[in-house]
Amino acid sequence: MLDVRRLRLLRELARRGTIAAVAEALTFSPSAVSQQLGVLEREAGLPLLERTGRGVRLTPAGQNLVRHAEAVLERLEQADADLAEARGGLAGALRIGAFPTATRAIVPAALIALARRHPGLEPMVSETDPAAVAHALRAGDLDVALVHEYDFVPAEPEPGLATEPLYGEAMYLAAPAAEVLDPSETRPCGALDPSGGSDQGAVLRTHARAPWITATPGTLCHAMTVRACQAAGFTPRVRHQVDEFATVLALVAAGQGVAVVPQLGVTGPADPAVRLTRLLMERRTNLAFRSGAGAHPAVAAFGAALRAAVPPDLAGSRAGT
């Protein structure tokens, strides 16, 4: 009989590519991972891995077994959900991953509602970049997470995971208010231009020679800005790399550059030193969990609480309907 824990290791190897990466993600030693995969090969009765220089790759039999492992692990999640429902009354830890703007603007109200309805449940929030969520969910470090995607950075399907849409946000170009967006424009810049322009590329190209403020490389927010600018015909000259949008706007107000920011990143009193121009792109937020876990009462309860906490100006987005 194949051991489920070893099947999980094989699946992680298929996703992460190296034994060292699997060991680091699951807090095992590389030798322990290798040993357990060797036992799995003996259980299977044929080679599942083959050496490629200093690394390993899955044989066709190993790849086929990973597909079965995905199905087995999904069924186990469904079984866990059924047992939780049969027990009645939610209790215990619920490990939640969320990115900063959602943690500030959406999650607190959801946690208040969750505590009222399920006082035995213990939500535990960890700020997690969406790019790291898939590994954390598959490794069991998180039970549920908020993830986002942009028009220029669509989310790739993640084996073993499922998502549900929550809401969408408008995107804005933030520029110093003292700048003139168009040579023909002579009136003072206001705090907000909600209409934007019909040509998003033209709006971005106006700042092709300006310094840009982006998120740190490797994040979806960084990739979004770079790709949006490249689609407009130029590569941004990045001066600052900052992940927190309040800091980004402070730098824009100080004349340090321009940036693309989401709607939840510009909440609060308008800064007269910053001009916001609505773009045609959008950021969409989804709820992510392991395949089969969507029916788990704790995951479903948190999802319901999140949807009730979404501000009305976000709920009408195409991602939230």
Side-chain angles (χ1 to χ4, degrees):
M1 180 68 68
L2 299 176
D3 186 281
V4 172
R5 292 168 296 182
R6 297 184 186 113
L7 288 175
R8 192 185 300 274
L9 289 175
L10 185 69
R11 182 190 67 173
E12 288 305 307
L13 180 61
R15 301 291 165 251
R16 299 176 188 269
T18 67
I19 287 176
V22 174
E24 181 179 359
L26 302 183
T27 63
F28 290 159
S29 68
S31 60
V33 173
S34 295
Q35 182 183 33
Q36 290 301 308
L37 291 173
V39 173
L40 181 61
E41 283 190 311
R42 291 194 291 274
E43 291 175 343
L46 75 169
L48 303 175
L49 307 174
E50 58 185 6
R51 293 286 176 183
T52 57
R54 295 184 178 181
V56 296
R57 65 183 178 191
L58 273 63
T59 64
Q63 295 170 356
N64 189 48
L65 187 55
V66 167
R67 289 190 287 270
H68 287 294
E70 296 283 8
V72 168
L73 293 169
E74 181 175 348
R75 289 302 298 270
L76 286 175
E77 292 290 345
Q78 294 170 348
D80 186 50
D82 289 344
L83 290 172
E85 186 173 5
R87 285 193 296 267
L90 297 182
L94 178 67
R95 295 158 299 180
I96 302 163
F99 51 91
T101 50
T103 303
R104 183 188 71 247
I106 308 291
V107 172
L111 295 182
I112 291 172
L114 199 64
R116 288 172 179 165
R117 297 194 61 182
H118 306 286
L121 198 61
E122 184 183 3
M124 304 169 66
V125 177
S126 299
E127 281 196 353
T128 309
D129 187 89
V133 160
H135 290 331
L137 284 171
R138 282 196 291 260
D141 297 330
L142 297 175
D143 299 309
V144 63
L146 284 81
V147 296
H148 57 59
E149 63 176 352
Y150 295 93
D151 287 341
F152 288 95
V153 194
E156 297 293 334
E158 286 284 354
L161 302 185
T163 61
E164 295 178 354
L166 286 175
Y167 61 87
E169 298 171 68
M171 299 293 295
Y172 294 91
L173 175 73
E179 289 188 359
V180 176
L181 294 183
D182 186 282
S184 65
E185 183 180 358
T186 57
R187 63 180 177 80
C189 295
L192 173 65
D193 178 2
S195 61
S198 59
D199 187 343
Q200 175 173 284
V203 173
L204 296 175
R205 283 193 297 275
T206 300
H207 300 279
R209 292 192 297 273
W212 282 75
I213 306 165
T214 70
T216 53
T219 61
L220 300 181
C221 296
H222 177 270
M224 170 273 299
T225 297
V226 172
R227 293 182 187 179
C229 291
Q230 289 174 340
F234 69 97
T235 297
R237 177 169 59 88
V238 178
R239 174 181 289 178
H240 302 292
Q241 297 176 345
V242 178
D243 288 324
E244 211 282 319
F245 288 116
T247 305
V248 169
L249 292 175
L251 290 171
V252 172
Q256 289 295 300
V258 299
V260 177
V261 295
Q263 184 174 347
L264 288 181
V266 296
T267 55
D271 187 339
V274 177
R275 175 178 181 135
L276 299 172
T277 302
R278 174 74 180 267
L279 300 173
L280 300 180
M281 56 194 292
E282 186 181 65
R283 180 170 81 167
R284 294 172 294 280
T285 294
N286 300 322
L287 190 66
F289 41 82
R290 290 181 291 277
S291 297
H296 193 290
V299 173
F302 179 62
L306 277 174
R307 290 184 179 84
V310 173
D313 58 337
L314 298 181
S317 161
R318 68 175 184 264
T321 56

